[in-house]
Amino acid sequence: MDPAPHCFADALRAAIADSETTLERVAEALRARGTPVSLATLSYWQTGRSRPERPRSIAALGHLEDLLGLAAGGLRGLLEAPRPRGRSARRAPQPLAASAPWADTTEFRRLVAELDLSHDSALTRLWAHDRIEIGADRAKRVQRSSQVLRAERDGVDRLVVTSWAEREGGQPPSLTGTRNCTLGRVNVDLRGGQVAAELLFDRPLGRRETIVVEHESHLPTPRPVAYGHQRVSRMPVRQYLLEVRFDPRALPRYCVQFAEVDGREQVRALTLDSAYTAHAMAIDLEPGRYGVRWAWGAS
């Protein structure tokens, strides 16, 4: 085969040509393996008219690589999340209500009504890093979050953070400030499984001063099986890194990175590194939902 193309569509088209098969046969083989992809969709993929983004399509790529004699990840590694275009790329991002996926945003507004959000817009999020640990029981053990923030005026002394239960009806997590901050006022929504809290800085910041803030989130026991983690970015973030580390005794069948902005979701396949960790990196995040989902194999 010729040197690997850098474009997903080109790579798929070349692999099909080299395998001396047809799209019809590929579609039949994928259907037989339980991951059906229509003939029209395969045609769109190889011409670049569309590309795999939904979880079902991402799951089919592993079988497609095997059928075409490609190395694992040979196609998935060429999927890059496209940057926003048109009006969404030009307009100034607006704050997003960081409610739980299943919760009413009205309840979120009630939850934070008694907290001081006036400092949020005076903080530039230069860097955010979430580290998630998944235990052998397939449940989240702990979430550690760190941020590098820059004050855009004098006197900024707090940040509001939110978190929620792993599933609807579950108990919300407990939050703890672990670096350069302590926990201030905390509001809990037991019905929606949400919590909002102020992280009070050790001292007020001066204009253009930066601070590293870290906190942890712990779910109460018994912990449910986890199928993903998402961060709701209420304000823009310059750089964001999400790491999900799995216990080697409980590895997922596959992982995908997702980003949802303006109601549209983009998906990209991920692979675990030698430390059993999947990571997703994003630059210039707009307000939206970002995260990693995974599927478990049979126990």
Side-chain angles (χ1 to χ4, degrees):
M1 183 181 293
D2 295 333
H6 297 292
C7 168
F8 173 84
D10 291 344
L12 177 58
R13 188 167 57 251
I16 291 174
D18 288 348
S19 67
E20 298 182 353
T21 189
T22 64
L23 284 182
E24 290 82 359
R25 291 175 182 171
V26 172
E28 291 175 1
L30 289 175
R31 188 179 305 110
R33 294 191 178 202
T35 53
V37 177
S38 71
L39 182 62
T41 297
L42 287 172
S43 177
Y44 290 161
W45 287 359
Q46 75 164 355
T47 59
R49 183 172 175 179
S50 68
R51 63 187 198 168
E53 292 187 343
R54 297 181 180 276
R56 288 179 58 186
S57 298
I58 297 298
L61 286 184
H63 294 297
L64 186 57
E65 291 162 352
D66 182 53
L67 289 169
L68 298 177
L70 299 175
L75 291 174
R76 286 173 290 179
L78 295 174
L79 290 177
E80 296 286 347
R83 290 184 176 271
R85 297 180 180 179
R87 294 179 180 177
S88 64
R90 294 191 295 269
R91 69 169 179 270
Q94 298 298 314
L96 183 76
S99 58
W102 53 80
D104 189 340
T105 55
T106 301
E107 185 61 28
F108 169 78
R109 287 191 289 269
R110 185 203 65 78
L111 194 68
V112 300
E114 298 177 1
L115 305 182
D116 188 354
L117 289 170
S118 64
H119 297 253
D120 272 24
S121 60
L123 287 167
T124 296
R125 281 83 173 156
L126 300 174
W127 167 259
H129 183 194
D130 289 336
R131 292 158 289 176
I132 315 300
E133 293 183 10
I134 307 296
D137 58 356
R138 301 183 174 182
K140 289 181 183 177
R141 299 179 61 86
V142 64
Q143 172 186 337
R144 297 183 175 90
S145 299
S146 63
Q147 299 188 69
V148 179
L149 309 166
R150 185 180 68 205
E152 302 304 336
R153 60 173 171 81
D154 292 334
V156 178
D157 66 356
R158 69 194 61 199
L159 172 73
V160 173
V161 295
T162 59
S163 190
W164 49 82
E166 193 62 25
R167 60 187 177 190
E168 186 174 6
Q171 292 295 310
S174 60
L175 303 179
T176 306
T178 57
R179 183 178 179 186
N180 295 328
C181 64
T182 56
L183 208 60
R185 288 176 292 183
V186 179
N187 281 348
V188 178
D189 167 27
L190 292 176
R191 186 177 63 178
Q194 301 183 104
V195 58
E198 294 173 337
L199 297 181
L200 305 180
F201 304 159
D202 292 345
R203 60 179 178 79
L205 302 178
R207 182 176 179 273
R208 309 297 287 178
E209 185 178 359
T210 58
I211 186 173
V212 179
V213 174
E214 296 183 353
H215 74 279
E216 291 187 357
S217 175
H218 295 264
L219 288 170
T221 55
R223 303 182 182 96
V225 172
Y227 294 92
H229 175 80
Q230 74 169 350
R231 176 189 183 93
V232 179
S233 182
R234 296 176 47 249
M235 302 288 285
V237 181
R238 294 281 181 85
Q239 296 185 64
Y240 174 55
L241 174 63
L242 169 59
E243 295 184 282
V244 182
R245 184 182 186 279
F246 296 90
D247 188 290
R249 294 168 292 178
L251 299 178
R253 185 158 49 90
Y254 67 83
C255 291
V256 296
Q257 169 187 353
F258 67 90
E260 181 184 325
V261 179
D262 294 332
R264 299 185 61 185
E265 185 176 84
Q266 300 167 348
V267 179
R268 179 185 179 188
L270 298 175
T271 56
L272 302 187
D273 61 23
S274 59
Y276 311 108
T277 300
H279 81 272
M281 179 73 190
I283 298 176
D284 293 331
L285 263 69
E286 297 182 27
R289 302 179 187 274
Y290 303 84
V292 171
R293 291 192 293 261
W294 55 86
W296 299 108
S299 299

